[in-house]
Amino acid sequence: ESGKDSQDKKKNHIKALLVAATDCEPQYLIRLLQTKLRIGLAEQTLLAALGQAAVYTEEHSTPPPHIQSPLDEAAKIVKQVYSVLPVYDKIVPALLSDGVWNLPKTCSFTPGVPVGPMLAKPTKGVSEIVAKFQDMEFTCEYKYDGERAQIHYLENGSVEIYSRNSERNTGKFPDVVAVISRLKRPSASSFILDCELVAYDREKKKILPFQILSTRARKNVVMSDIKVNVCIYAFDMLYLNDQPLIQKELKVRREHLYSSFEEEPGFFQFATAITSNDLEEIQKFLDAAVDASCEGLIIKTMNKDATYEPSRRSHNWLKLKKDYMESIGDSLDLVPIGAFHGRGKRTGVYGAFLLACYNINNEEFQSICKIGTGFSEQVLEERSASLRTQVIPKPKSYYRFGDTIKPDVWFEPKEVWEVKAADLTISPVHRAAIGEVDPDKGISLRFPRLVRVRDDKSPEQASSSEQVAEMYNAQKHNHQNNQDDNDYDD
Ligand code: ATP
């Protein structure tokens, strides 16, 4: 509803809903309207419900004959379409007019609307990669440590930049907008480019660390004020001249990428890549990446199973970071849900925090560890000040933690912290990934330390319990392998 009398019209709709509601339904409606519906009904549930509702409506609801379980299939279709076109204003009208079975045709990828980025799975070593991608052609690319960007160039010459989180970031990077328009070849009239924006010293011709990039202003940046330059490292192309490319193999997407831009060192470069399945060569390439101030490698299939999978952590992209090899693998992104008051030197700030991962299926935050190290005094003060504004009187109903954990304060789920740890263990008090590796116990982190705050992730994008379980299993597997190696040595 909009325009004149829209308030009254909205009120009447709400009244009608409440009158029609029975049993516990009014409670859900009210919480939904107050946007306090954090009781396990988040986006994934909503998408599934939309698909199911479309099956229950009479029109267009007859599924094609090959479909066995229409409700599940419809939910899957809506989720899949939403991952390439996350706009309810387009999906709902299309569902109403042509039904769910036609949705992939009526709603597809559109330039100007960001799609969720394809993500990579962690691996621990070169031999694991060679084993996983046996008999397949794959490429290894430098893994740059900057900010993910999806750059949309529309037919009319306008440019938009979206973050990993699909937030509009164009105002932060006017320099990138200018470079893209300057270095695209005339043949490319519209495109979507997937890339990493990395801080760069053009005099010394050197990549700078992420920490330098994070000092750039976030909004309404004026070209003449820019002190930290960035270089665009391009690695994928999702759309070119009215043609979606996400269903094409990486080999083809990359050809389009290479033929659509001019490289200019320090401004726009293609991600450095090699194609090899020689263990030693990849190992050397990894060392070269680290020497060039990169975090490691991303390894991608080229032909087979090599389409672009929006919003998915795919088996077909593997990340290999140099420091995985010594610790548990990847770092984790966790949400502070509670804290303990500091004592002694830390009086006045929080002394330790309770962190949680996110369970996507149950839509709950599960405690994983207490953290009190990795903070400089300044960072501790900043985090304490920021989280003090998020204190809530009691834990949310969707927080899971052991009875013995009693933080002094609880927080709204708000921040995401990147954390490294020595290893993962089964825990009687924490609840991360409970039921996935042990029926009654969760997983916890040993010796966690804060690496940085992740402004580009929302709490629901924190590491999932599934990922935590996978890491635990990988570690177990690795220990066993080491054990086997030792046995062999003996
Ligand atoms: P994820 O994005 O997988 O959830 P994350 O945000 O913690 O994890 P990393 O573990 O550092 O990030 O690794 C993935 C990120 O690496 C990508 O999202 C992208 O921003 C960046 N990246 C750098 N170089 C490349 C490349 N050549 N190909 C793909 N991604 C790259």
Side-chain angles (χ1 to χ4, degrees):
E1 299 293 354
S2 61
K4 193 168 166 285
D5 297 335
S6 63
Q7 278 292 351
D8 287 338
K9 285 187 200 154
K10 285 182 198 166
K11 275 188 203 157
N12 285 336
H13 287 312
I14 294 171
K15 274 189 211 154
L17 277 171
L18 284 173
V19 169
T22 54
D23 298 334
C24 59
E25 288 170 0
Q27 173 189 342
Y28 286 77
L29 281 173
I30 295 292
R31 284 199 201 160
L32 179 70
L33 294 164
Q34 291 178 313
T35 64
K36 282 190 185 152
L37 193 78
R38 302 286 314 249
I39 35 74
L41 196 149
E43 197 120 61
Q44 291 305 311
T45 322
L46 193 61
L47 293 170
L50 265 179
Q52 301 197 353
V55 175
Y56 285 125
T57 54
E58 275 165 28
E59 247 185 308
H60 320 291
S61 62
T62 317
H66 64 276
I67 286 177
Q68 303 268 323
S69 44
L71 290 178
D72 291 347
E73 198 59 34
K76 223 179 349 177
I77 291 176
V78 176
K79 286 182 186 179
Q80 204 263 330
V81 166
Y82 186 81
S83 76
V84 289
L85 187 72
V87 186
Y88 288 115
D89 277 347
K90 296 225 160 84
I91 293 178
V92 174
L95 277 176
L96 291 173
S97 65
D98 298 292
V100 67
W101 313 113
N102 289 318
L103 195 66
K105 279 187 232 128
T106 49
C107 266
S108 63
F109 196 49
T110 319
V113 180
V115 298
M118 180 163 172
L119 303 170
K121 292 231 175 205
T123 42
K124 287 197 101 164
V126 175
S127 45
E128 189 182 336
I129 291 161
V130 177
K132 271 198 175 149
F133 287 163
Q134 236 173 17
D135 306 327
M136 289 211 244
E137 193 186 332
F138 61 88
T139 182
C140 305
E141 291 178 352
Y142 279 10
K143 180 178 184 311
Y144 298 92
D145 192 12
E147 213 176 295
R148 184 88 176 247
Q150 198 176 91
I151 304 181
H152 292 230
Y153 186 95
L154 307 188
E155 202 90 29
N156 63 7
S158 65
V159 180
E160 296 288 359
I161 303 174
Y162 297 97
S163 71
R164 181 189 184 288
N165 232 350
S166 299
E167 271 160 22
R168 194 170 164 276
N169 235 347
T170 318
K172 183 174 173 186
F173 294 110
D175 44 345
V176 170
V177 173
V179 166
I180 283 293
S181 314
R182 183 163 63 83
L183 294 178
K184 73 164 200 69
R185 288 189 199 270
S187 61
S189 56
S190 63
F191 57 82
I192 300 177
L193 182 72
D194 198 358
C195 59
E196 189 85 354
L197 305 178
V198 185
Y200 196 89
D201 183 334
R202 290 191 185 136
E203 259 168 38
K204 296 196 181 123
K205 299 197 170 43
K206 241 180 49 186
I207 286 177
L208 299 171
F210 173 82
Q211 280 70 16
I212 307 271
L213 182 70
S214 63
T215 60
R216 267 182 75 126
R218 279 157 207 240
K219 279 190 200 135
N220 307 327
V221 172
V222 180
M223 283 285 246
S224 52
D225 293 344
I226 295 175
K227 296 202 178 64
V228 175
N229 286 316
V230 298
C231 179
I232 305 163
Y233 285 95
F235 52 77
D236 217 319
M237 191 85 154
L238 316 189
Y239 185 94
L240 179 64
N241 299 344
D242 291 334
Q243 294 301 318
L245 299 176
I246 49 177
Q247 299 296 345
K248 305 261 190 252
E249 302 77 54
L250 177 58
K251 196 167 202 158
V252 175
R253 301 201 305 275
R254 200 189 249 178
E255 277 163 18
H256 286 300
L257 172 68
Y258 288 170
S259 61
S260 303
F261 294 91
E262 301 271 356
E263 277 191 295
E264 188 174 310
F267 289 86
F268 181 105
Q269 287 172 258
F270 301 119
T272 304
I274 55 162
T275 307
S276 164
N277 45 19
D278 178 89
L279 246 145
E280 229 166 274
E281 203 177 339
I282 300 174
Q283 187 66 47
K284 271 201 195 125
F285 192 62
L286 171 65
D287 294 338
V290 174
D291 283 344
S293 308
C294 291
E295 274 187 305
L297 302 178
I298 302 245
I299 298 97
K300 304 173 179 178
T301 47
M302 286 291 271
N303 296 314
K304 194 167 165 286
D305 299 330
T307 60
Y308 191 92
E309 301 168 64
S311 310
R312 279 202 60 195
R313 192 169 298 285
S314 166
H315 287 288
N316 304 322
W317 279 20
L318 303 176
K319 48 186 178 180
L320 177 64
K321 294 191 205 170
K322 189 73 183 173
D323 56 356
Y324 285 5
M325 296 170 179
E326 298 109 49
S327 71
I328 50 169
D330 205 359
S331 54
L332 289 145
D333 295 321
L334 303 170
V335 179
I337 57 168
F340 303 83
H341 292 310
R343 295 192 180 82
K345 250 182 30 196
R346 288 189 171 175
T347 308
V349 292
Y350 297 121
F353 300 84
L354 180 64
L355 296 181
C357 65
Y358 186 62
N359 182 308
I360 296 169
N361 293 328
N362 303 344
E363 294 170 342
E364 62 189 26
F365 290 92
Q366 303 175 327
S367 80
I368 189 164
C369 66
K370 257 169 82 170
I371 183 170
T373 41
F375 302 87
S376 63
E377 250 169 62
Q378 186 200 342
V379 169
L380 196 60
E381 263 171 37
E382 280 169 12
R383 288 341 324 143
S384 297
S386 156
L387 284 172
R388 219 170 271 135
T389 63
Q390 302 300 329
V391 171
I392 48 175
K394 57 181 186 27
K396 299 278 187 185
S397 56
Y398 49 89
Y399 286 179
R400 294 278 164 274
F401 51 93
D403 302 337
T404 52
I405 302 180
K406 296 194 172 78
D408 297 314
V409 289
W410 294 97
F411 302 129
E412 284 283 346
K414 189 81 187 173
E415 301 198 344
V416 180
W417 295 0
E418 184 175 345
V419 168
K420 277 192 182 167
D423 57 15
L424 303 115
T425 56
I426 294 285
S427 157
V429 293
H430 290 291
R431 293 287 184 265
I434 188 163
E436 293 188 47
V437 291
D438 183 292
D440 315 303
K441 291 183 185 151
I443 293 171
S444 75
L445 299 183
R446 287 207 316 145
F447 306 119
R449 56 194 188 282
L450 177 71
V451 182
R452 65 187 181 209
V453 177
R454 295 284 310 243
D455 296 323
D456 59 340
K457 279 198 172 181
S458 67
E460 286 79 10
Q461 291 173 323
S463 299
S464 65
S465 13
E466 205 182 342
Q467 280 171 278
V468 172
E470 273 175 19
M471 279 168 97
Y472 177 82
N473 289 331
Q475 168 187 295
K476 211 164 83 185
H477 185 75
N478 236 41
H479 282 178
Q480 268 161 3
N481 279 354
N482 289 344
Q483 200 62 44
D484 293 348
D485 288 350
N486 291 343
D487 290 351
Y488 193 68
D489 284 340
D490 288 345

